[in-house]
C-alpha cells in the first residue's frame, strides 16, 4: 500500500527543479506509485505561484512540464469548512499543509521547514524530514 504523503512546497520544488539534487529520488518514488502525494487547492496554488518566481528562471513551458511531472501523481483533497483543528504554527502560511495532512488522513508530512518540524510532538500525524522519510520507506 503506497504511503499517503503531504509535501511542503519547498520539498516538491527541490525534487522538481533540481533534477540532480538531494531530493530528486522523490520523483522516482511518486512515479513508481510507492507514495501518493497529497495536495489541496491551496497547496497546489502555492506550488504554481512559487515555480513562477524569477529566481528559478523557468519559462511558462518549463513550469508546465514540471507540474506535469508531479500533479498527475497527486491526489487532490478538499479541505472542509471549517478546516480541521491543528496546532498553531509560527508561520501561518504553513497551516494549509497541516490541514491537508488531517483532511487527507496522511501517513506523514515531509518538510525541511523548521516551523513545521517544531510541531512534530504536538501533531497527530508524523512530521518528518525528507532524510528520515527516505529511511522509513527504504528507497
Amino acid at each position: 500500500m503506497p504511503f499517503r504523503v503531504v509535501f511542503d512546497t519547498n520539498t516538491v520544488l527541490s525534487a522538481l527543479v533540481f533534477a540532480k539534487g538531494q531530493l530528486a529520488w522523490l520523483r522516482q518514488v511518486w512515479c513508481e506509485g510507492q507514495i501518493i502525494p497529497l495536495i489541496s487547492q491551496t497547496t497546489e496554488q502555492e506550488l504554481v505561484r512559487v515555480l513562477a518566481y524569477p529566481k528559478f528562471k523557468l519559462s511558462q513551458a518549463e513550469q508546465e512540464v514540471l507540474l506535469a511531472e508531479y500533479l498527475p501523481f497527486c491526489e487532490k483533497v478538499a479541505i472542509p469548512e471549517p478546516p480541521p483543528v491543528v496546532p498553531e504554527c509560527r508561520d501561518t502560511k504553513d497551516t494549509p499543509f497541516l490541514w491537508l495532512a488531517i483532511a487527507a488522513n496522511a501517513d506523514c508530512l515531509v518538510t525541511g521547514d523548521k516551523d513545521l518540524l517544531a510541531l512534530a510532538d504536538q501533531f497527530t500525524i508524523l512530521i518528518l524530514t525528507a532524510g528520515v522519510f527516505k529511511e522509513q520507506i527504504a528507497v
Side-chain angles (χ1 to χ4, degrees):
M1 182 111 163
F3 284 85
R4 297 171 50 76
V5 184
V6 172
F7 294 107
D8 75 342
T9 304
N10 286 335
T11 302
V12 176
L13 279 174
S14 294
L16 288 175
V17 176
F18 306 107
K20 303 251 188 285
Q22 275 190 316
L23 300 183
W25 61 272
L26 282 171
R27 283 175 134 179
Q28 182 179 347
V29 294
W30 73 57
C31 286
E32 292 174 353
Q34 293 179 48
I35 60 173
I36 299 170
L38 303 163
I39 58 169
S40 67
Q41 182 176 348
T42 303
T43 63
E44 180 179 357
Q45 288 171 343
E46 164 88 349
L47 178 61
V48 169
R49 186 177 63 78
V50 174
L51 274 173
Y53 282 1
K55 71 178 180 180
F56 294 121
K57 298 182 173 94
L58 297 169
S59 69
Q60 183 67 39
E62 289 169 321
Q63 293 170 45
E64 288 172 11
V65 166
L66 292 177
L67 290 169
E69 292 175 8
Y70 181 63
L71 295 178
F73 299 97
C74 295
E75 178 183 318
K76 194 159 189 178
V77 177
I79 305 302
E81 196 51 56
V85 175
V86 295
E88 190 173 332
C89 192
R90 290 184 298 222
D91 182 350
T92 55
K93 289 186 193 125
D94 291 331
T95 303
F97 298 99
L98 299 171
W99 290 339
L100 175 56
I102 295 283
N105 195 24
D107 293 309
C108 60
L109 189 163
V110 176
T111 182
D113 186 301
K114 289 179 177 33
D115 292 330
L116 286 170
L117 291 167
L119 299 176
D121 60 350
Q122 303 168 48
F123 199 52
T124 55
I125 291 169
L126 287 174
I127 299 178
L128 307 171
T129 63
V132 171
F133 178 64
K134 187 176 186 179
E135 291 170 15
Q136 297 257 331
I137 63 171
V139 173

